[in-house]
Amino acid sequence: MGLLGLFARKPHERAGFALYGAAVSAARQPLFFDTLGVPDTLDGRFDLVSLHTGLLVCRISRDADPRAKALSQAVFDAMFADMDVNLREMGVGDLVVGKRVKRMWEAFHGRAQAYDAALRAGDRPALTEALARNVWRGAAPAGAPARLAAIAAAADAALAAIPFTDLVAGRASFPPPHGPEPVA
């Protein structure tokens, strides 16, 4: 491999970062913090970014297109490159960053699997319970987990409707988070 090979971009890297940026933008909506009472902390923000990125990665992974695996990996890589940079900017030492990122990866993976399984099964109570446990650590304001579950389900449906060609081009949008009111 020549020197230029060290600087070559990975397939879908640019699209991965663009898609991850869309997930971060969706996760930063004030409604989550102001209305639903998601803690405006490092953990609370991580949980919302994980939710939105997880929805996106799972949507991409479900596609039959042969590029799906590489594109979902590019989104995942973009997320954890960002987490690494953010931890370093917060002053976390080099020796600790890898361990923290690994714990974040494990948390992301578990959450994404739980949310995707509940969404695929159409099990809104399981999704609500998983969100209450992860986002609010079991101390959620009344009705907030059910409302976030409704927002997540709406986002999942909207992402499913996006053509794969748009995703490969780095284009995705999440619906506004006011979403439908939960059904009790």
Side-chain angles (χ1 to χ4, degrees):
M1 170 167 71
L3 182 60
L4 291 177
L6 295 173
F7 301 104
R9 289 196 178 268
K10 295 177 183 174
H12 310 296
E13 183 176 12
R14 191 175 309 260
F17 274 96
L19 294 170
Y20 172 67
V24 170
S25 292
R28 289 184 175 165
Q29 297 302 309
L31 174 130
F32 295 125
F33 305 101
D34 299 343
T35 304
L36 299 183
V38 172
D40 192 6
T41 61
L42 182 62
D43 286 342
R45 291 187 299 268
F46 172 77
D47 282 317
L48 288 174
V49 169
S50 291
L51 171 62
H52 289 83
T53 305
L55 291 170
L56 189 54
V57 166
C58 289
R59 162 30 187 129
I60 294 166
S61 296
R62 286 190 302 269
D63 203 283
D65 191 289
R67 299 169 290 178
K69 183 176 180 179
L71 183 58
S72 65
Q73 184 65 50
V75 175
F76 176 86
D77 291 347
M79 178 179 179
F80 284 94
D82 184 49
M83 295 297 153
D84 184 279
V85 168
N86 284 316
L87 287 171
R88 291 176 193 280
E89 287 177 353
M90 291 178 347
V92 175
D94 288 340
L95 297 175
V96 178
V97 167
K99 292 176 186 172
R100 294 275 300 269
V101 169
K102 182 180 179 195
R103 282 195 303 268
M104 294 169 96
W105 176 88
E106 290 168 348
F108 169 79
H109 186 67
R111 285 163 171 76
Q113 283 186 325
Y115 303 153
D116 191 51
L119 286 163
R120 297 292 60 80
D123 190 346
R124 188 69 64 88
L127 179 60
T128 300
E129 180 184 321
L131 290 167
R133 181 179 59 248
N134 294 319
V135 175
W136 291 276
R137 310 301 189 261
R147 185 144 182 224
L148 185 56
I151 291 168
D156 185 58
L159 290 170
I162 296 173
F164 192 77
T165 54
D166 286 358
L167 296 170
V168 169
R171 293 187 302 267
S173 59
F174 289 79
H178 51 76
E181 292 299 318
V183 176

